[in-house]
């Protein structure tokens, strides 16, 4: 994911898709799977996924956490030679 301006809903959708691809699921990870990885309640995640006028702004620490999860999973796959 690039450093350009990305809306948090798009960022989360892209992250869910990428995690699904990294784990060869053939689909994006589910909301429940994503929340488990992030350690956040589904209600909070759902508010992040709402439009900015109705939702909740995701903290900058969570943006970083999502990026780190993706990077960690990439590195795990690389170390397995996949």
């Amino acid at each position: 994911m690039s450093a350009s301006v990305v809306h948090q809903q798009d960022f989360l959708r892209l992250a869910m898709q990428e995690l699904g691809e990294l784990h060869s699921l053939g689909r994006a990870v589910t909301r429940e799977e994503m929340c488990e990885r992030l350690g956040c309640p589904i209600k909070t995640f759902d508010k992040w996924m709402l439009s900015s006028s109705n939702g909740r702004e995701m903290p900058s620490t969570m943006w970083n956490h999502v990026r780190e999860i993706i990077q960690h999973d990439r590195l795990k796959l690389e170390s397995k030679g996949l």
Side-chain angles (χ1 to χ4, degrees), residues 6-12 47-48 56-58 63:
V6 177
H7 296 287
Q8 71 184 27
Q9 295 83 4
D10 295 332
F11 174 75
L12 290 170
K47 289 177 184 175
W48 291 338
R56 177 186 295 171
E57 187 173 337
M58 191 168 59
W63 286 76

Side-chain angles (χ1 to χ4, degrees), residues 15-74:
M16 293 168 73
Q17 186 63 44
E18 186 165 354
L19 286 171
E21 291 169 6
L22 286 170
H23 293 279
S24 302
L25 297 176
R27 61 168 173 80
V29 295
T30 64
R31 289 172 29 249
E32 291 81 6
E33 291 166 333
M34 191 68 171
C35 290
E36 186 175 321
R37 291 297 301 274
L38 296 176
C40 73
I42 289 178
K43 285 185 178 187
T44 299
F45 185 80
D46 287 345
K47 289 177 184 175
W48 291 338
M49 292 297 286
L50 293 172
S51 66
S52 58
S53 61
N54 296 326
R56 177 186 295 171
E57 187 173 337
M58 191 168 59
S60 61
T61 54
M62 191 56 70
W63 286 76
N64 291 332
H65 186 48
V66 171
R67 289 183 189 105
E68 288 176 5
I69 288 171
I70 292 170
Q71 186 62 29
H72 177 263
D73 286 9
R74 282 184 193 146

